[in-house]
Amino acid sequence: SAGSNSAVPPSSTANGGGAGGNNGNNSLQLPISQICNIRRQNVTLKLVHVICPSSKDQPNATKDTRFRCLYQYAKQIEQEVYDKAQTADEYHNMLASKIYVIQRKLSEQRQVWRERERERERERE
């Protein structure tokens, strides 16, 4: 149901080219303005959940200042992507790249945190 709120049909490129048709001269790609605000809000929430998966399970998270700051950060990322993208396809590709980078950086940071914790445990022994 992720695509159900989208104003962008799955085959928005010429000749049924699907999501991979980024040849630059495709006049049938939908302009970025065709992405509705509801879809943009859903994307922002998805970014929040990528950064902080536990926020899905916390109904009172919106009252937390940290969550609000995180939401504003996600909103800023989405806005930057929206402003740079020319087409809906480009918007979705750029968002996917951003999500990948965020997930990779978070994974790397978690490894650093785990290693520091192990070092602290060794020092205590």
Side-chain angles (χ1 to χ4, degrees):
S1 76
S4 63
N5 292 332
S6 176
V8 181
S11 60
S12 61
T13 57
N15 303 324
N22 266 345
N23 60 7
N25 59 5
N26 193 340
S27 62
L28 294 180
Q29 282 189 336
L30 290 175
I32 190 67
S33 62
Q34 294 299 308
I35 297 175
C36 67
N37 286 334
I38 292 171
R39 177 68 177 151
R40 292 182 66 198
Q41 290 170 354
N42 287 340
V43 165
T44 301
L45 280 175
K46 183 167 221 105
L47 283 167
V48 168
H49 298 319
V50 163
I51 296 169
C52 182
S54 64
S55 65
K56 285 184 194 178
D57 305 327
Q58 298 174 2
N60 293 329
T62 56
K63 297 176 182 173
D64 188 338
T65 304
R66 294 171 298 177
F67 177 84
R68 283 190 240 136
C69 290
L70 178 58
Y71 184 82
Q72 288 302 317
Y73 174 68
K75 199 171 179 178
Q76 178 184 345
I77 291 171
E78 189 280 335
Q79 184 67 51
E80 288 172 8
V81 169
Y82 184 83
D83 290 343
K84 286 181 185 177
Q86 299 287 318
T87 65
D89 188 46
E90 188 177 15
Y91 171 79
H92 289 104
N93 288 334
M94 290 171 73
L95 280 170
S97 293
K98 288 280 189 183
I99 289 171
Y100 173 77
V101 169
I102 289 169
Q103 287 176 327
R104 193 184 78 229
K105 286 181 180 180
L106 285 172
S107 177
E108 290 170 0
Q109 188 61 46
R110 285 183 191 113
Q111 286 179 324
V112 168
W113 291 333
R114 287 184 194 119
E115 189 57 38
R116 285 182 187 160
E117 188 59 33
R118 286 184 199 121
E119 288 175 12
R120 287 183 195 134
E121 288 174 8
R122 286 185 210 126
E123 290 172 0
R124 288 183 212 148
E125 292 176 352

